[in-house]
Amino acid sequence: VVVAYTDDGNSGYGTAVVGTVSGTSITFGTPVVFESATAEQIGATFDSANGKVVFSYSDGGNSDYGTAVVGTVSGTSISFGTPVVFNSGSSRSNKATYDSGQAAVVVVWKQDSDSSGRAIAGTVSGTSISFGSSATFQGTRIDNPVLTYDSTNNKAVVFYADDSNDNRLTAYVITVSGTSVSFGTKASMVFKVDYSFMSASATFD
């Protein structure tokens, strides 16, 4: 189990640690810094084709640019490649998932400059990741995007609070082709999400 976090005890550096489950307990290795600057809004996923973890985050040492890094686990240790910028602008609420159908990592985020919702896909090679072009799934304000992968239909799905529609929980299906992303029809949930309950999580059954 790999955990990525902002280490407030070490200047907010982006840090990761590997845990091993045995029975009903878990033990951890030594934490390793992957970003020697404040790293926040961290997303994490596992690239099963390459056997690598990928973190997406806001790099406080580089104007909060959206950044990704590839991690390699060996036993209870983890090592990292060179961080790669996927968005040359301040990124918030970074989330990541792995599209096994396209062997691509999908990242979504809230663009700080205009609060729009954006997505991008990248492919891992060795200890690095390269990205295609980003695309906007909503040009007006979103909040708190979350992401999951539907392995039956080979699609990623992003959920978020839509400020233009009373903060209703809203979704788009994301189709990846190579490193290009496109979106289906916008779908809003029938219930209203109160502002104080706009934090969500998603998984695929």
Side-chain angles (χ1 to χ4, degrees):
V1 176
V2 183
V3 183
Y5 58 97
T6 303
D7 187 354
D8 284 343
N10 186 28
S11 303
Y13 283 7
T15 306
V17 66
V18 178
T20 304
V21 173
S22 177
T24 57
S25 108
I26 185 167
T27 56
F28 291 95
T30 302
V32 176
V33 171
F34 62 83
E35 180 61 64
S36 296
T38 302
E40 297 180 317
Q41 319 280 327
I42 302 170
T45 193
F46 176 65
D47 178 336
S48 55
N50 291 288
K52 305 288 184 180
V53 296
V54 179
F55 303 145
S56 59
Y57 59 96
S58 301
D59 181 0
N62 188 26
S63 303
D64 288 327
Y65 280 8
T67 305
V69 67
V70 175
T72 303
V73 175
S74 177
T76 57
S77 299
I78 187 167
S79 58
F80 295 96
T82 302
V84 174
V85 171
F86 63 81
N87 177 49
S88 297
S90 181
S91 301
R92 299 295 174 193
S93 301
N94 303 285
K95 297 294 186 295
T97 194
Y98 181 65
D99 183 333
S100 57
Q102 289 292 311
V105 173
V106 181
V107 180
V108 299
W109 71 95
K110 174 183 173 180
Q111 185 76 5
D112 202 29
S113 58
D114 59 7
S115 297
S116 63
R118 303 189 186 186
I120 200 168
T123 53
V124 170
S125 178
T127 58
S128 187
I129 185 168
S130 57
F131 289 95
S133 299
S134 66
T136 300
F137 57 85
Q138 176 155 318
T140 56
R141 182 186 177 96
I142 72 161
D143 282 299
N144 300 315
V146 295
L147 188 62
T148 193
Y149 179 67
D150 176 339
S151 57
T152 298
N153 293 287
N154 292 325
K155 305 287 185 182
V157 185
V158 59
F159 302 88
Y160 61 95
D162 183 358
D163 183 72
S164 68
N165 190 24
D166 294 325
N167 290 314
R168 284 182 171 85
L169 194 60
T170 301
Y172 273 103
V173 173
I174 302 173
T175 298
V176 177
S177 178
T179 55
S180 297
V181 292
S182 58
F183 310 103
T185 303
K186 181 178 181 178
S188 295
M189 308 300 178
V190 296
F191 59 91
K192 180 178 178 180
V193 180
D194 186 274
Y195 191 86
S196 62
F197 294 96
M198 276 175 42
S199 177
S201 295
T203 192
F204 178 67
D205 181 341

